[in-house]
Amino acid sequence: MKDEAAMKSDVQVAVIGGGVVGCSVLYHLTKAGWKDVVLIERSELTSGSTWHAAGGFHTINGDPNVAKLQQYTIGLYKEIEEISGQSCGFHLTGGVLLAGTEDRVDFLKMMRAKEKLLGIDCEMISPQEAAELFPLMDPKHFKGAMYSPLEGHLDPSGTTYAYAKAARVQGAEIYLRNRVVDLQHRPDGSWDVVTEEGTIHAEHVVNAGGLWARECGRMVGLELPILAMEHMYLLTEDMPEVAEINETTGKEVLHAVDFEGEIYMRQERGGMLMGTYERAGEPWSVKETPWAFGHELLQPDLDRIAPSLEVGFEHFPAFQTAGIKQIINGPFTFAPDGNPLVGPIRGLKNYWVACGVMAGLSQGGGVGLTLANWITEGDPGFDVWGMDVARYGDWTTMAYTQAKVRENYSRRFRIRYPNEELPAARGLRKTPIYERLKARGAVFGASFGLEVPLWFAPEGTEPVEQVTFKRSNAFGPVKAECKAVREGVGLAEISSFAKYEVTGPDAEAWLSRLLANKLPKEGRLSLAPMLNEKGKLIGDFTVAKAGPERFYVFGTGAAETYHMRWFQEHLPESGVSLRALGLDLVGLSIAGPKARDVLAAVTDADVSKESFRFMDFREMELGVIPAMVGRVTFTGDLGYEIWVKPEFQQQLFDLLMEAGAPHGITLFGGRALRSLSLEKGFGSWASEYRPIYGPFEAAMDRFVDLSKNDFIGRAAAAKEKAEGPKRRLVTMTVEAEDGDVFGDEPIWRGEDIVGWVTSGGYAHHADRSVAMGYVTSDLAQDGETFEIELLGRRLAATIQAEPLFDPQAERMRG
């Protein structure tokens, strides 16, 4: 495979790393029309994690957008075989996913519904039916199962070489046995890629370094949140049971996953492969990866995986008499949540990453397509938030990464409930009032590493939530919090919002170019979406004009790195200063009909309805505390958002609680806030508003001003409006019983799927279960009825054109 021609001196893209991911990126770049591209590999192709991979592929993923890219990857293998003439060793066997508990059965029902959104018809089956498909199992250990048609395995090395050869056929070059030793950034944003055999000047660099991705990141001052874990699987000797299945069915043994045993299985020649994600996982090479490591395996540790194997031998009796031929133990890299790290790095022009791709044979094609689109067209072409490297901030230290990766690895086959908050690496970021909230029974979640109160346990009860697919012990307390807001006044911590300060003589012009709505006048607020060039939603902000050349922009906290990357890419060389405030600015919100009374009690400023109108924003003193106050709240009620420096937050909290005591002020958390906002039909970033939706699809018509200057995405937005959106965001009431939708459930009309749910929950004041989601525009009419599939049941749902609470917005504006 080594290219005998002299190494090029100038290229469009240099891809670092010759595993399945790097070769996929290279292939997709050539497919996109960029032929002047090269791949540089320190050793031979597949010399990292790829060569010892178990080789399985599937479409199952908690994020349907990632699952869609896995589906693309599986469909790609025939194409690269034809172009390259290289076999991938493709075996499409189908698979059974086995559930040992009723909760796991419910989990599989959720997965089945998500697969339907991809057009994949998985089937819920009984343990006995599963045993007919997979005779190696003992059905008495299981409660149910799901059959999935898009599962199988292939040859990892053959697949990698197929990508590589297909890329070479289309113009790429590959340089083997040539390690990259340094990366130097030129002033124009291009890169000098310094290798052992010389320097290549590249317009773009892709870090697909796999086990060495951290080292390639450190060359540019970047510490990527990835860690390698030892992963073991065993190969058995030939098994007569396998031979019998092959002979009687004429097919290979299906893939199988036993979630309770935390093991996966497939046929390997005349025997079986059995792998496990054991709970006592072991990190490998925690701080740095040796450059000399290559085609080597790690020492097996049967004791570590013995608990899983014992369960496996019990659940699959044929393994009890099978001889073990080989135990494979090799390192694979993981990100903290198990999904890949893909995309451009904020502040490093033309530096891209494609790493942490643990499931390279399921996801490698989708990752390659995504990154090639992003490099060549400036946009990934898909909703890749679940894989975007920007979902992490600079708080993801090496210790944080190790804790979360170990946790994720140990939970690979365990249920993650929709209301479950995981314990590893918690308490990393806290606001000044954390202890005050904790003392009042706060149950915390983590958002972008920050501890945020979800709900408050009543006095005398343990502040712990029961994990479930249905309604938890939080249901009653959240209902009480909502009642307090709607009938009196509630106080919430809002420091988890992202806050940006934009100043300078060109600040207004720059923001106007970025945002699709008119900017507010001084002392006012406005709501503004942000679009990409294709007119799709990449942000949803509240903008405050605090002075002639000073703006504050408030958005979703989890998207801070994502949005800062976009802001900085479009920042002019002069005239605008931009700063992400993070926890340098913290906030509290008071909301409810008594909110004005509480605010008036702590300030001499005139906060009457006439003097402090809805969407006003001003600086004022609260007690002795300097604060910025906006008359707006996500509850859809009368309310205020109050922003102060962190050194003032404790005193502000005490002041508001004291002033609110005569009015019965009650603390409320994120769950109540979402319940209250659902009653108003308010969407939010990363659920209703994502880069696959246009603003008119997302029912944001009134926040897009096509009459103003040529903002980014204006032409595409105008086209969307003129042609009419093909789908539309709607709010529906759902005839739920003991559980509510979470998101990603199919919306049915008869036997057709006509949309999907983006988020939902229980609207406690309206006393209705609510879902938000997208349906085809012809059906997006008041009173139209549907069914939403939840945990295997279809629940009646009806579109509500008007908000369930205060449809005329009299409370919010009063």
Side-chain angles (χ1 to χ4, degrees):
M1 178 66 65
K2 182 172 174 65
D3 199 313
E4 298 301 332
M7 194 166 66
K8 288 185 173 183
S9 59
D10 288 273
V11 297
Q12 290 172 291
V13 186
V15 179
I16 304 171
V20 68
V21 173
C23 290
S24 172
V25 172
L26 189 72
Y27 167 70
H28 282 92
L29 286 167
T30 63
K31 187 176 179 180
W34 283 32
K35 309 298 185 181
D36 191 13
V37 293
V38 301
L39 182 146
I40 308 165
E41 163 57 40
R42 49 172 279 282
S43 181
E44 306 294 336
L45 297 183
T46 78
S47 293
S49 295
T50 301
W51 75 273
H52 58 73
F57 60 77
H58 56 85
T59 59
I60 302 297
N61 192 286
D63 185 335
N65 297 291
V66 177
K68 188 180 299 182
L69 289 170
Q70 293 180 194
Q71 182 182 30
Y72 165 81
T73 299
I74 296 168
L76 182 67
Y77 290 128
K78 183 179 179 182
E79 174 184 309
I80 61 173
E81 283 184 331
E82 291 177 351
I83 294 172
S84 68
Q86 165 76 46
S87 171
C88 294
F90 185 80
H91 298 254
L92 184 63
T93 63
V96 288
L97 290 81
L98 305 170
T101 67
E102 292 299 336
D103 270 5
R104 179 59 72 178
V105 172
D106 282 344
F107 171 82
L108 290 179
K109 289 176 181 177
M110 290 176 61
M111 289 297 103
R112 177 175 180 256
K114 292 179 180 182
E115 292 288 285
K116 287 179 183 177
L117 291 175
L118 301 178
I120 300 172
D121 191 15
C122 295
E123 184 181 357
M124 295 300 298
I125 56 179
S126 69
Q128 289 70 31
E129 290 171 318
E132 292 177 11
L133 295 171
F134 190 76
L136 300 179
M137 64 180 277
D138 183 347
K140 73 181 182 183
H141 298 290
F142 301 99
K143 301 289 186 182
M146 183 175 80
Y147 170 74
S148 172
L150 269 186
E151 295 210 10
H153 61 273
L154 35 69
D155 171 24
S157 292
T159 300
T160 304
Y161 276 89
Y163 276 124
K165 289 181 178 179
R168 286 182 55 134
V169 165
Q170 297 181 155
E173 292 187 6
I174 295 174
Y175 308 132
L176 303 179
R177 298 176 291 280
N178 184 23
R179 181 165 68 90
V180 173
V181 297
D182 196 16
L183 295 169
Q184 298 169 357
H185 211 183
R186 292 190 180 185
D188 66 357
S190 63
W191 293 87
D192 286 327
V193 183
V194 183
T195 78
E196 292 173 327
E197 297 184 6
T199 298
I200 301 175
H201 174 237
E203 185 180 345
H204 299 265
V205 167
V206 175
N207 176 358
L211 292 174
W212 295 269
R214 287 180 304 180
E215 279 65 33
C216 294
R218 289 165 185 163
M219 292 176 186
V220 299
L222 180 66
E223 190 64 43
L224 288 166
I226 51 176
L227 176 71
M229 296 290 291
E230 295 188 16
H231 180 67
M232 278 180 278
Y233 61 86
L234 60 84
L235 304 174
T236 73
E237 302 283 359
D238 288 355
M239 296 170 60
E241 295 88 351
V242 170
E244 182 180 353
I245 293 169
N246 295 160
E247 185 176 342
T248 56
T249 66
K251 300 176 182 179
E252 284 185 79
V253 179
L254 269 64
H255 277 228
V257 173
D258 175 5
F259 289 102
E260 272 54 60
E262 298 174 326
I263 52 181
Y264 60 90
M265 290 154 286
R266 69 167 177 83
Q267 184 173 339
E268 174 67 19
R269 300 185 184 275
M272 292 292 291
L273 179 154
M274 176 185 282
T276 177
Y277 286 86
E278 71 279 9
R279 298 195 181 187
E282 185 68 28
W284 177 78
S285 197
V286 172
K287 294 187 177 180
E288 57 185 20
T289 304
W291 286 110
F293 185 81
H295 278 86
E296 303 139 66
L297 291 173
L298 308 177
Q299 187 66 30
D301 184 357
L302 270 179
D303 289 341
R304 197 167 74 235
I305 63 173
S308 292
L309 295 183
E310 288 173 8
V311 175
F313 293 164
E314 182 183 0
H315 290 185
F316 308 95
F319 282 87
Q320 295 175 12
T321 56
I324 297 177
K325 181 167 63 176
Q326 187 179 8
I327 299 172
I328 307 293
N329 185 18
F332 288 88
T333 56
F334 294 77
D337 62 2
N339 273 338
L341 300 178
V342 180
I345 297 295
R346 187 188 93 191
L348 281 177
K349 186 176 181 181
N350 294 344
Y351 183 92
W352 307 79
V353 296
C355 56
V357 189
M358 177 276 302
L361 298 170
S362 292
Q363 299 173 338
V367 168
L369 175 66
T370 295
L371 205 61
N373 286 346
W374 220 332
I375 293 171
T376 61
E377 299 179 16
D379 185 84
F382 307 95
D383 184 346
V384 297
W385 172 249
M387 299 194 302
D388 196 325
V389 65
R391 69 188 186 275
Y392 294 107
D394 57 9
W395 42 269
T396 50
T397 60
M398 190 182 294
Y400 172 91
T401 298
Q402 182 175 160
K404 294 304 288 184
V405 168
R406 293 185 71 157
E407 177 183 65
N408 177 270
Y409 185 92
S410 72
R411 295 179 55 91
R412 175 84 176 144
F413 286 146
R414 290 167 69 184
I415 294 173
R416 173 73 186 269
Y417 293 92
N419 68 328
E420 187 174 11
E421 295 290 330
L422 301 182
R426 292 294 297 275
L428 176 63
R429 303 175 70 213
K430 301 176 182 177
T431 63
I433 62 168
Y434 172 83
E435 294 298 339
R436 280 169 166 75
L437 299 176
K438 183 178 179 181
R440 288 166 171 82
V443 178
F444 290 96
S447 175
F448 206 56
L450 180 68
E451 295 296 313
V452 294
L454 301 176
W455 58 280
F456 291 83
E459 190 174 351
T461 63
E462 189 178 7
V464 175
E465 183 162 7
Q466 300 162 357
V467 294
T468 176
F469 289 119
K470 299 176 181 177
R471 292 172 186 159
S472 77
N473 58 317
F475 190 82
V478 171
K479 188 178 194 70
E481 292 171 26
C482 293
K483 177 181 173 68
V485 172
R486 290 290 188 236
E487 296 182 0
V489 60
L491 184 148
E493 159 101 70
I494 56 171
S495 301
S496 61
F497 291 4
K499 291 85 59 181
Y500 312 94
E501 184 181 51
V502 184
T503 58
D506 298 331
E508 185 156 6
W510 180 71
L511 278 173
S512 186
R513 168 76 176 150
L514 256 63
L515 303 178
N517 201 1
K518 278 183 181 172
L519 295 183
K521 297 178 180 178
E522 189 169 339
R524 294 284 289 167
L525 296 159
S526 68
L527 304 179
M530 184 166 70
L531 312 180
N532 61 19
E533 286 86 351
K534 295 183 179 180
K536 302 301 183 183
L537 288 164
I538 57 171
D540 170 41
F541 300 105
T542 302
V543 183
K545 187 172 184 181
E549 297 181 359
R550 182 162 57 98
F551 291 84
Y552 290 96
V553 180
F554 303 94
T556 303
E560 181 183 295
T561 304
Y562 175 86
H563 287 138
M564 279 296 288
R565 184 176 64 192
W566 182 265
F567 293 156
Q568 289 177 332
E569 283 175 4
H570 295 84
L571 200 64
E573 292 185 6
S574 62
V576 181
S577 294
L578 167 69
R579 187 163 66 103
L581 297 173
L583 293 182
D584 290 340
L585 191 67
V586 294
L588 297 172
S589 174
I590 51 174
K594 299 292 186 180
R596 181 179 287 116
D597 296 332
V598 175
L599 184 63
V602 299
T603 184
D604 291 334
D606 185 353
V607 294
S608 64
K609 172 183 175 181
E610 296 75 21
S611 295
F612 197 31
R613 303 162 297 163
F614 177 61
M615 300 298 278
D616 272 353
F617 181 87
R618 68 179 61 161
E619 296 180 5
M620 61 178 70
E621 292 182 4
L622 306 184
V624 297
I625 302 166
M628 295 184 295
V629 185
R631 204 191 131 183
V632 66
T633 167
F634 199 53
T635 64
D637 215 314
L638 171 66
Y640 308 87
E641 292 179 351
I642 305 167
W643 301 100
V644 296
K645 291 181 178 179
E647 57 262 38
F648 302 131
Q649 193 189 29
Q650 291 183 2
Q651 188 174 350
L652 176 64
F653 177 85
D654 295 342
L655 183 70
L656 292 173
M657 291 298 289
E658 183 180 353
H663 307 288
I665 194 167
T666 300
L667 297 176
F668 69 101
R671 296 274 174 77
L673 182 62
R674 187 60 188 136
S675 175
L676 297 166
S677 67
L678 279 171
E679 296 177 340
K680 294 293 293 180
F682 291 164
S684 60
W685 169 252
S687 53
E688 284 68 45
Y689 311 140
R690 297 183 72 136
I692 53 173
Y693 305 124
F696 296 97
E697 287 180 310
M700 301 185 80
D701 312 43
R702 65 190 185 280
F703 304 124
V704 177
D705 184 1
L706 293 173
S707 69
K708 74 165 195 151
N709 67 304
D710 188 24
F711 57 88
I712 295 172
R714 183 189 179 282
K719 183 179 179 183
E720 183 196 0
K721 182 180 181 181
E723 295 178 352
K726 294 182 176 60
R727 55 195 172 195
R728 190 78 173 176
L729 178 65
V730 296
T731 301
M732 294 166 280
T733 53
V734 185
E735 298 305 316
E737 297 173 6
D738 56 354
D740 307 292
V741 300
F742 314 108
D744 300 323
E745 295 89 355
I747 301 173
W748 293 84
R749 186 69 174 265
E751 293 307 306
D752 297 321
I753 294 177
V754 295
W756 55 88
V757 173
T758 52
S759 71
Y762 200 82
H764 286 282
H765 180 73
D767 203 23
R768 298 299 303 271
S769 188
V770 174
M772 296 186 72
Y774 285 86
V775 298
T776 54
S777 293
D778 60 312
L779 298 176
Q781 308 297 324
D782 187 28
E784 288 282 356
T785 58
F786 306 88
E787 291 179 310
I788 295 176
E789 184 174 343
L790 177 65
L791 299 178
R793 295 179 297 167
R794 292 194 188 180
L795 307 178
T798 306
I799 291 180
Q800 304 292 319
E802 288 193 335
L804 296 171
F805 171 74
D806 191 22
Q808 303 305 315
E810 293 172 354
R811 286 268 287 265
M812 190 166 60
R813 299 174 183 276

